[in-house]
Amino acid sequence: MTRTLMISDIHGCLEPFERLLEEVRFVPGRDRLVLLGDYVDRGPKSKDVVAKVMELVEQYGAIALRGNHDQRLVDLIRSNDPYVRSKFMEHGGKMTINSYWERGREKMNEDILREAVAYIEHNYGHHIDFLGKLPLYYEDDRHICVHAGLNPAYPNWKDQPARDFMYIKKDFYRAKTKVDRTVVFGHTRAAEIHGVSEVWFHEGKIAIDGGCAYGAQLNCLIYEEGAYTTHATKNSPSSL
């Protein structure tokens, strides 16, 4: 492996994702590709992004982590919890329903949502199984990659609750890290941290979420021979 490529928060933006892989000249077998979660919701092609991620993992050895939106889709399909349904729809879930099920474009109500859940479970259960089994972190000798961050309240970061791996924000990125490697994370848009969508580097932490599904960009953090470079693919209105 000569390079490690890290990408996060694709959120159904298939075209920018595929374009980014082309632009950085991703070569399976030569490059290690690490995807930091949130493949669904907000963007228009969640189903296709999940299929692409599955292909990259199963055929080309990519590492894919689980994000909070991925977990929320799994919970939607596997539970009958009204709170889960509410949160799913509140945070861009309608676009995921549209992607998986043509009738999702109808005005959404409880009956239609139940039909959509049944349809996805029956026809795309393998997508749900895939997302539900994804790991919460990936580590090598230089990095800890995670969707959201590490809770500084836990002396051993691996003891933190699963929810923290997928949801933590300010308690992590505003605190000094307590680990001996650089933490690479998504979940919190870089623009929320330092006002621009470019990758944020700060004292052992690197934030890579470029806000693609908000019309900004998809970032790739590239680590090669001890040095970092970045590459961004701008989103376009046609991709949303």
Side-chain angles (χ1 to χ4, degrees), residues 114-128:
R114 274 194 292 271
E115 284 187 50
V117 166
Y119 177 86
I120 295 170
E121 183 174 28
H122 183 265
N123 293 279
Y124 296 96
H126 58 302
H127 282 202
I128 305 306

Side-chain angles (χ1 to χ4, degrees), residues 4-15:
T4 300
L5 312 177
M6 293 163 271
I7 302 170
S8 188
D9 295 82
I10 301 164
H11 282 299
C13 296
L14 179 69
E15 189 274 333

Side-chain angles (χ1 to χ4, degrees), residues 34-37 39 62-67 133-140 143-150 156-162 164-166 179 181-185:
V34 186
L35 306 173
L36 274 63
Y39 311 109
I63 293 103
L65 306 182
R66 192 182 345 152
K133 292 175 182 175
L134 291 178
L136 296 171
Y137 62 84
Y138 169 76
E139 53 185 331
D140 59 26
H143 308 97
I144 298 171
C145 297
V146 61
H147 178 64
L150 305 182
N156 181 351
W157 60 271
K158 292 183 181 180
D159 292 337
Q160 73 180 29
D164 286 340
F165 284 105
M166 295 184 283
V179 294
R181 286 162 290 170
T182 299
V183 183
V184 182
F185 67 103

Side-chain angles (χ1 to χ4, degrees), residues 63-113:
I63 293 103
L65 306 182
R66 192 182 345 152
N68 60 303
H69 284 262
D70 312 315
Q71 184 64 57
R72 195 177 282 131
L73 175 58
V74 172
D75 293 342
L76 174 79
I77 303 304
R78 292 183 173 173
S79 76
N80 192 30
D81 187 332
Y83 178 77
V84 169
R85 292 197 297 272
S86 172
K87 283 296 178 182
F88 177 81
M89 297 305 294
E90 181 182 335
H91 294 283
K94 179 75 158 59
M95 297 297 287
T96 300
I97 298 297
N98 291 351
S99 176
Y100 275 96
W101 191 54
E102 279 191 19
R103 284 194 61 199
R105 290 170 176 76
E106 299 177 10
K107 186 174 181 180
M108 190 61 63
N109 58 39
E110 281 291 317
D111 290 338
I112 290 176
L113 184 55

Side-chain angles (χ1 to χ4, degrees), residues 7-18 21 33 35-57 64-65 70 73 95-96 99-100 124 127 130-131 134 212-213 218 239:
I7 302 170
S8 188
D9 295 82
I10 301 164
H11 282 299
C13 296
L14 179 69
E15 189 274 333
F17 179 43
E18 293 185 327
L21 293 177
L33 179 62
L35 306 173
L36 274 63
D38 276 6
Y39 311 109
V40 302
D41 298 343
R42 296 201 171 105
K45 294 191 175 180
S46 291
K47 179 186 72 174
D48 299 308
V49 169
V50 174
K52 179 69 174 181
V53 171
M54 291 175 69
E55 174 190 337
L56 289 167
V57 170
L65 306 182
D70 312 315
L73 175 58
M95 297 297 287
T96 300
S99 176
Y100 275 96
Y124 296 96
H127 282 202
F130 173 79
L131 294 174
L134 291 178
C212 187
L218 193 62
S239 299

